[in-house]
Amino acid sequence: MSTIQLIAPTLAHKSQIEAYREEFPYSPNGIEGSSELILANSIENWLSQVEKNRHWDTVQEGWMPAEQYIAVDTTNNTIVGMLNFRKELNEYLLNYIGHIGYSIAPSKRRQGLGTLMLQLALIEAKSFRLDKVLITCTDDNIASIGVIENNGGILEDKRLDPGDQKLTRRYWITL
């Protein structure tokens, strides 16, 4: 079984980040939990924006400060997933997005990595002084439903996201 660590991305991970991005077909919605990696014109620019998004005084307009992680399989030093942790929620995040967004490389899915990544993120969440976290997924995302429920997620409700017109499941996990 793989050993996974959530770590902050750096320029030392450039080739692994590029390989991760290449696994995903282009989508205008991007790659979940990647801080708009798909839209970045270079890994250097993406890393710079990730750093700016960590702080209130430099975060992108309309965004909340967040920590960006890469999930690295330490047995072969490959990125198997990405996870973005928003330490605070604005109204839209509270209603439709939540604290944590994540993705798993298409070639690494169905191996329990999402469950493990979220488990590691919940440990990190305690350092942000949160008592509970909100995690959402679309109503038809069976894989994410399993990941969230495997980590103790309690479904609060379902809401229609006015942006993409999809039904969003809202789960809370008490830390």
PDB file of all heavy atoms in Angstrom, residues 138-164:
ATOM      1  N   THR A 138     -20.946  17.100  -5.664  1.00  0.00           N
ATOM      2  CA  THR A 138     -22.191  17.038  -6.422  1.00  0.00           C
ATOM      3  C   THR A 138     -22.927  15.759  -6.056  1.00  0.00           C
ATOM      4  O   THR A 138     -22.332  14.769  -5.632  1.00  0.00           O
ATOM      5  CB  THR A 138     -21.936  17.090  -7.940  1.00  0.00           C
ATOM      6  OG1 THR A 138     -21.056  16.037  -8.297  1.00  0.00           O
ATOM      7  CG2 THR A 138     -21.365  18.433  -8.356  1.00  0.00           C
ATOM      8  N   ASP A 139     -24.229  15.809  -6.205  1.00  0.00           N
ATOM      9  CA  ASP A 139     -25.098  14.707  -5.795  1.00  0.00           C
ATOM     10  C   ASP A 139     -24.817  13.419  -6.556  1.00  0.00           C
ATOM     11  O   ASP A 139     -25.119  12.330  -6.070  1.00  0.00           O
ATOM     12  CB  ASP A 139     -26.560  15.126  -5.966  1.00  0.00           C
ATOM     13  CG  ASP A 139     -27.522  14.212  -5.236  1.00  0.00           C
ATOM     14  OD1 ASP A 139     -27.263  13.885  -4.056  1.00  0.00           O
ATOM     15  OD2 ASP A 139     -28.536  13.824  -5.837  1.00  0.00           O
ATOM     16  N   ASP A 140     -24.203  13.523  -7.727  1.00  0.00           N
ATOM     17  CA  ASP A 140     -23.927  12.331  -8.534  1.00  0.00           C
ATOM     18  C   ASP A 140     -22.480  11.836  -8.421  1.00  0.00           C
ATOM     19  O   ASP A 140     -22.088  10.894  -9.104  1.00  0.00           O
ATOM     20  CB  ASP A 140     -24.274  12.584  -9.999  1.00  0.00           C
ATOM     21  CG  ASP A 140     -23.456  13.715 -10.617  1.00  0.00           C
ATOM     22  OD1 ASP A 140     -22.705  14.409  -9.893  1.00  0.00           O
ATOM     23  OD2 ASP A 140     -23.571  13.910 -11.844  1.00  0.00           O
ATOM     24  N   ASN A 141     -21.673  12.436  -7.534  1.00  0.00           N
ATOM     25  CA  ASN A 141     -20.272  12.049  -7.391  1.00  0.00           C
ATOM     26  C   ASN A 141     -20.151  10.945  -6.341  1.00  0.00           C
ATOM     27  O   ASN A 141     -19.829  11.192  -5.176  1.00  0.00           O
ATOM     28  CB  ASN A 141     -19.413  13.262  -7.029  1.00  0.00           C
ATOM     29  CG  ASN A 141     -17.933  12.956  -7.093  1.00  0.00           C
ATOM     30  OD1 ASN A 141     -17.508  11.807  -6.980  1.00  0.00           O
ATOM     31  ND2 ASN A 141     -17.145  14.001  -7.254  1.00  0.00           N
ATOM     32  N   ILE A 142     -20.414   9.726  -6.762  1.00  0.00           N
ATOM     33  CA  ILE A 142     -20.442   8.577  -5.853  1.00  0.00           C
ATOM     34  C   ILE A 142     -19.100   8.392  -5.150  1.00  0.00           C
ATOM     35  O   ILE A 142     -19.058   8.067  -3.956  1.00  0.00           O
ATOM     36  CB  ILE A 142     -20.823   7.286  -6.629  1.00  0.00           C
ATOM     37  CG1 ILE A 142     -22.175   7.457  -7.333  1.00  0.00           C
ATOM     38  CG2 ILE A 142     -20.830   6.076  -5.722  1.00  0.00           C
ATOM     39  CD1 ILE A 142     -23.330   7.815  -6.444  1.00  0.00           C
ATOM     40  N   ALA A 143     -17.988   8.610  -5.855  1.00  0.00           N
ATOM     41  CA  ALA A 143     -16.665   8.437  -5.243  1.00  0.00           C
ATOM     42  C   ALA A 143     -16.471   9.421  -4.088  1.00  0.00           C
ATOM     43  O   ALA A 143     -16.049   9.027  -2.992  1.00  0.00           O
ATOM     44  CB  ALA A 143     -15.572   8.599  -6.294  1.00  0.00           C
ATOM     45  N   SER A 144     -16.786  10.700  -4.304  1.00  0.00           N
ATOM     46  CA  SER A 144     -16.611  11.690  -3.235  1.00  0.00           C
ATOM     47  C   SER A 144     -17.582  11.469  -2.083  1.00  0.00           C
ATOM     48  O   SER A 144     -17.232  11.686  -0.925  1.00  0.00           O
ATOM     49  CB  SER A 144     -16.754  13.114  -3.772  1.00  0.00           C
ATOM     50  OG  SER A 144     -15.543  13.534  -4.352  1.00  0.00           O
ATOM     51  N   ILE A 145     -18.775  11.032  -2.392  1.00  0.00           N
ATOM     52  CA  ILE A 145     -19.727  10.715  -1.326  1.00  0.00           C
ATOM     53  C   ILE A 145     -19.111   9.665  -0.404  1.00  0.00           C
ATOM     54  O   ILE A 145     -19.129   9.795   0.820  1.00  0.00           O
ATOM     55  CB  ILE A 145     -21.075  10.236  -1.907  1.00  0.00           C
ATOM     56  CG1 ILE A 145     -21.785  11.393  -2.605  1.00  0.00           C
ATOM     57  CG2 ILE A 145     -21.960   9.622  -0.818  1.00  0.00           C
ATOM     58  CD1 ILE A 145     -22.968  10.970  -3.468  1.00  0.00           C
ATOM     59  N   GLY A 146     -18.515   8.634  -0.991  1.00  0.00           N
ATOM     60  CA  GLY A 146     -17.870   7.591  -0.197  1.00  0.00           C
ATOM     61  C   GLY A 146     -16.695   8.113   0.603  1.00  0.00           C
ATOM     62  O   GLY A 146     -16.544   7.782   1.787  1.00  0.00           O
ATOM     63  N   VAL A 147     -15.855   8.943  -0.004  1.00  0.00           N
ATOM     64  CA  VAL A 147     -14.696   9.519   0.687  1.00  0.00           C
ATOM     65  C   VAL A 147     -15.155  10.310   1.910  1.00  0.00           C
ATOM     66  O   VAL A 147     -14.617  10.155   3.012  1.00  0.00           O
ATOM     67  CB  VAL A 147     -13.875  10.412  -0.270  1.00  0.00           C
ATOM     68  CG1 VAL A 147     -12.884  11.283   0.487  1.00  0.00           C
ATOM     69  CG2 VAL A 147     -13.155   9.565  -1.316  1.00  0.00           C
ATOM     70  N   ILE A 148     -16.143  11.164   1.706  1.00  0.00           N
ATOM     71  CA  ILE A 148     -16.624  12.027   2.792  1.00  0.00           C
ATOM     72  C   ILE A 148     -17.280  11.199   3.892  1.00  0.00           C
ATOM     73  O   ILE A 148     -16.989  11.386   5.083  1.00  0.00           O
ATOM     74  CB  ILE A 148     -17.582  13.101   2.240  1.00  0.00           C
ATOM     75  CG1 ILE A 148     -16.849  14.017   1.255  1.00  0.00           C
ATOM     76  CG2 ILE A 148     -18.200  13.910   3.380  1.00  0.00           C
ATOM     77  CD1 ILE A 148     -17.761  14.879   0.393  1.00  0.00           C
ATOM     78  N   GLU A 149     -18.142  10.279   3.510  1.00  0.00           N
ATOM     79  CA  GLU A 149     -18.829   9.463   4.520  1.00  0.00           C
ATOM     80  C   GLU A 149     -17.858   8.524   5.238  1.00  0.00           C
ATOM     81  O   GLU A 149     -18.014   8.269   6.442  1.00  0.00           O
ATOM     82  CB  GLU A 149     -19.988   8.705   3.879  1.00  0.00           C
ATOM     83  CG  GLU A 149     -21.109   9.653   3.471  1.00  0.00           C
ATOM     84  CD  GLU A 149     -22.297   8.985   2.818  1.00  0.00           C
ATOM     85  OE1 GLU A 149     -22.265   7.756   2.550  1.00  0.00           O
ATOM     86  OE2 GLU A 149     -23.304   9.701   2.563  1.00  0.00           O
ATOM     87  N   ASN A 150     -16.821   8.039   4.554  1.00  0.00           N
ATOM     88  CA  ASN A 150     -15.798   7.210   5.201  1.00  0.00           C
ATOM     89  C   ASN A 150     -15.026   7.981   6.262  1.00  0.00           C
ATOM     90  O   ASN A 150     -14.424   7.372   7.146  1.00  0.00           O
ATOM     91  CB  ASN A 150     -14.803   6.654   4.172  1.00  0.00           C
ATOM     92  CG  ASN A 150     -15.377   5.544   3.335  1.00  0.00           C
ATOM     93  OD1 ASN A 150     -16.383   4.933   3.689  1.00  0.00           O
ATOM     94  ND2 ASN A 150     -14.749   5.280   2.201  1.00  0.00           N
ATOM     95  N   ASN A 151     -15.024   9.298   6.158  1.00  0.00           N
ATOM     96  CA  ASN A 151     -14.328  10.141   7.127  1.00  0.00           C
ATOM     97  C   ASN A 151     -15.285  10.777   8.135  1.00  0.00           C
ATOM     98  O   ASN A 151     -14.939  11.762   8.788  1.00  0.00           O
ATOM     99  CB  ASN A 151     -13.518  11.217   6.399  1.00  0.00           C
ATOM    100  CG  ASN A 151     -12.177  10.689   5.937  1.00  0.00           C
ATOM    101  OD1 ASN A 151     -11.267  10.536   6.740  1.00  0.00           O
ATOM    102  ND2 ASN A 151     -12.064  10.390   4.656  1.00  0.00           N
ATOM    103  N   GLY A 152     -16.486  10.238   8.257  1.00  0.00           N
ATOM    104  CA  GLY A 152     -17.419  10.711   9.277  1.00  0.00           C
ATOM    105  C   GLY A 152     -18.305  11.859   8.858  1.00  0.00           C
ATOM    106  O   GLY A 152     -18.937  12.490   9.711  1.00  0.00           O
ATOM    107  N   GLY A 153     -18.381  12.158   7.569  1.00  0.00           N
ATOM    108  CA  GLY A 153     -19.224  13.246   7.100  1.00  0.00           C
ATOM    109  C   GLY A 153     -20.694  12.976   7.364  1.00  0.00           C
ATOM    110  O   GLY A 153     -21.181  11.883   7.096  1.00  0.00           O
ATOM    111  N   ILE A 154     -21.368  13.975   7.918  1.00  0.00           N
ATOM    112  CA  ILE A 154     -22.806  13.907   8.187  1.00  0.00           C
ATOM    113  C   ILE A 154     -23.502  14.852   7.214  1.00  0.00           C
ATOM    114  O   ILE A 154     -23.242  16.062   7.210  1.00  0.00           O
ATOM    115  CB  ILE A 154     -23.125  14.324   9.643  1.00  0.00           C
ATOM    116  CG1 ILE A 154     -22.336  13.482  10.645  1.00  0.00           C
ATOM    117  CG2 ILE A 154     -24.625  14.264   9.906  1.00  0.00           C
ATOM    118  CD1 ILE A 154     -22.655  11.998  10.609  1.00  0.00           C
ATOM    119  N   LEU A 155     -24.380  14.284   6.384  1.00  0.00           N
ATOM    120  CA  LEU A 155     -25.090  15.087   5.398  1.00  0.00           C
ATOM    121  C   LEU A 155     -26.041  16.054   6.087  1.00  0.00           C
ATOM    122  O   LEU A 155     -26.906  15.646   6.848  1.00  0.00           O
ATOM    123  CB  LEU A 155     -25.869  14.173   4.447  1.00  0.00           C
ATOM    124  CG  LEU A 155     -26.654  14.858   3.337  1.00  0.00           C
ATOM    125  CD1 LEU A 155     -25.724  15.575   2.360  1.00  0.00           C
ATOM    126  CD2 LEU A 155     -27.515  13.839   2.598  1.00  0.00           C
ATOM    127  N   GLU A 156     -25.842  17.360   5.838  1.00  0.00           N
ATOM    128  CA  GLU A 156     -26.747  18.366   6.381  1.00  0.00           C
ATOM    129  C   GLU A 156     -27.919  18.593   5.431  1.00  0.00           C
ATOM    130  O   GLU A 156     -29.069  18.587   5.835  1.00  0.00           O
ATOM    131  CB  GLU A 156     -26.023  19.690   6.627  1.00  0.00           C
ATOM    132  CG  GLU A 156     -26.940  20.765   7.192  1.00  0.00           C
ATOM    133  CD  GLU A 156     -26.232  22.061   7.484  1.00  0.00           C
ATOM    134  OE1 GLU A 156     -25.605  22.629   6.572  1.00  0.00           O
ATOM    135  OE2 GLU A 156     -26.300  22.489   8.651  1.00  0.00           O
ATOM    136  N   ASP A 157     -27.601  18.799   4.146  1.00  0.00           N
ATOM    137  CA  ASP A 157     -28.653  19.040   3.169  1.00  0.00           C
ATOM    138  C   ASP A 157     -28.079  18.993   1.766  1.00  0.00           C
ATOM    139  O   ASP A 157     -26.895  18.763   1.574  1.00  0.00           O
ATOM    140  CB  ASP A 157     -29.364  20.378   3.422  1.00  0.00           C
ATOM    141  CG  ASP A 157     -28.457  21.598   3.326  1.00  0.00           C
ATOM    142  OD1 ASP A 157     -27.356  21.507   2.740  1.00  0.00           O
ATOM    143  OD2 ASP A 157     -28.842  22.663   3.827  1.00  0.00           O
ATOM    144  N   LYS A 158     -28.966  19.200   0.800  1.00  0.00           N
ATOM    145  CA  LYS A 158     -28.582  19.308  -0.613  1.00  0.00           C
ATOM    146  C   LYS A 158     -29.105  20.640  -1.109  1.00  0.00           C
ATOM    147  O   LYS A 158     -30.227  21.022  -0.807  1.00  0.00           O
ATOM    148  CB  LYS A 158     -29.182  18.169  -1.430  1.00  0.00           C
ATOM    149  CG  LYS A 158     -28.733  16.796  -1.003  1.00  0.00           C
ATOM    150  CD  LYS A 158     -29.433  15.728  -1.831  1.00  0.00           C
ATOM    151  CE  LYS A 158     -29.114  14.332  -1.344  1.00  0.00           C
ATOM    152  NZ  LYS A 158     -29.768  13.304  -2.193  1.00  0.00           N
ATOM    153  N   ARG A 159     -28.278  21.346  -1.897  1.00  0.00           N
ATOM    154  CA  ARG A 159     -28.652  22.655  -2.420  1.00  0.00           C
ATOM    155  C   ARG A 159     -28.315  22.746  -3.900  1.00  0.00           C
ATOM    156  O   ARG A 159     -27.298  22.234  -4.342  1.00  0.00           O
ATOM    157  CB  ARG A 159     -27.901  23.766  -1.673  1.00  0.00           C
ATOM    158  CG  ARG A 159     -28.229  23.782  -0.193  1.00  0.00           C
ATOM    159  CD  ARG A 159     -27.505  24.865   0.534  1.00  0.00           C
ATOM    160  NE  ARG A 159     -27.823  24.773   1.963  1.00  0.00           N
ATOM    161  CZ  ARG A 159     -27.383  25.601   2.876  1.00  0.00           C
ATOM    162  NH1 ARG A 159     -26.594  26.608   2.533  1.00  0.00           N
ATOM    163  NH2 ARG A 159     -27.719  25.443   4.135  1.00  0.00           N
ATOM    164  N   LEU A 160     -29.153  23.442  -4.639  1.00  0.00           N
ATOM    165  CA  LEU A 160     -28.908  23.653  -6.058  1.00  0.00           C
ATOM    166  C   LEU A 160     -27.945  24.826  -6.214  1.00  0.00           C
ATOM    167  O   LEU A 160     -28.253  25.954  -5.827  1.00  0.00           O
ATOM    168  CB  LEU A 160     -30.215  23.932  -6.799  1.00  0.00           C
ATOM    169  CG  LEU A 160     -30.095  24.014  -8.310  1.00  0.00           C
ATOM    170  CD1 LEU A 160     -29.657  22.671  -8.887  1.00  0.00           C
ATOM    171  CD2 LEU A 160     -31.422  24.441  -8.918  1.00  0.00           C
ATOM    172  N   ASP A 161     -26.767  24.550  -6.775  1.00  0.00           N
ATOM    173  CA  ASP A 161     -25.769  25.584  -7.006  1.00  0.00           C
ATOM    174  C   ASP A 161     -26.228  26.430  -8.191  1.00  0.00           C
ATOM    175  O   ASP A 161     -26.387  25.918  -9.297  1.00  0.00           O
ATOM    176  CB  ASP A 161     -24.415  24.944  -7.306  1.00  0.00           C
ATOM    177  CG  ASP A 161     -23.290  25.952  -7.446  1.00  0.00           C
ATOM    178  OD1 ASP A 161     -23.543  27.108  -7.847  1.00  0.00           O
ATOM    179  OD2 ASP A 161     -22.139  25.580  -7.165  1.00  0.00           O
ATOM    180  N   PRO A 162     -26.446  27.734  -7.968  1.00  0.00           N
ATOM    181  CA  PRO A 162     -26.934  28.574  -9.063  1.00  0.00           C
ATOM    182  C   PRO A 162     -25.911  28.749 -10.178  1.00  0.00           C
ATOM    183  O   PRO A 162     -26.271  29.050 -11.314  1.00  0.00           O
ATOM    184  CB  PRO A 162     -27.238  29.915  -8.386  1.00  0.00           C
ATOM    185  CG  PRO A 162     -26.381  29.919  -7.160  1.00  0.00           C
ATOM    186  CD  PRO A 162     -26.244  28.484  -6.734  1.00  0.00           C
ATOM    187  N   GLY A 163     -24.621  28.530  -9.877  1.00  0.00           N
ATOM    188  CA  GLY A 163     -23.587  28.702 -10.888  1.00  0.00           C
ATOM    189  C   GLY A 163     -23.603  27.608 -11.942  1.00  0.00           C
ATOM    190  O   GLY A 163     -23.621  27.886 -13.131  1.00  0.00           O
ATOM    191  N   ASP A 164     -23.607  26.357 -11.507  1.00  0.00           N
ATOM    192  CA  ASP A 164     -23.556  25.262 -12.484  1.00  0.00           C
ATOM    193  C   ASP A 164     -24.848  24.452 -12.537  1.00  0.00           C
ATOM    194  O   ASP A 164     -24.937  23.469 -13.267  1.00  0.00           O
ATOM    195  CB  ASP A 164     -22.367  24.345 -12.210  1.00  0.00           C
ATOM    196  CG  ASP A 164     -22.426  23.665 -10.850  1.00  0.00           C
ATOM    197  OD1 ASP A 164     -23.486  23.694 -10.194  1.00  0.00           O
ATOM    198  OD2 ASP A 164     -21.402  23.092 -10.450  1.00  0.00           O
TER     199      ASP A 164
END
